[in-house]
Amino acid sequence: MAGQTGTEWTLRAKIKTGTISWAWVDAVLAQDNAVLLAEIHGLARDGGPCCGTVPVLGGGWKVLSKPKV
């Protein structure tokens, strides 16, 4: 549940972080509005939330500059 209350699910997705390079970390830290983004498929085959180790989609981790609000 990862601290979430009021849910019937007790599953969690795990995402491997070993492919995050120091260059990406430096790029995120150098910008006020940057984040490190990974996309995953959030649903399991049965329609519930994914769980266990899940692959990162779309070619892996990306540095994303968020628009300032």
Side-chain angles (χ1 to χ4, degrees):
M1 287 199 303
Q4 183 178 358
T5 59
T7 180
E8 63 186 78
W9 302 105
T10 59
L11 306 171
R12 67 176 182 261
K14 296 181 281 184
I15 304 168
K16 293 188 177 187
T17 58
T19 58
I20 298 172
S21 72
W22 283 108
W24 289 338
V25 172
D26 291 338
V28 169
L29 294 175
Q31 302 176 51
D32 288 337
N33 61 334
V35 295
L36 196 55
L37 173 73
E39 294 181 52
I40 64 167
H41 187 69
L43 291 178
R45 291 184 192 134
D46 65 0
C50 64
C51 64
T53 302
V54 295
V56 175
L57 304 175
W61 293 90
K62 298 176 183 80
V63 175
L64 177 70
S65 295
K66 298 186 327 183
K68 292 184 180 181
V69 181

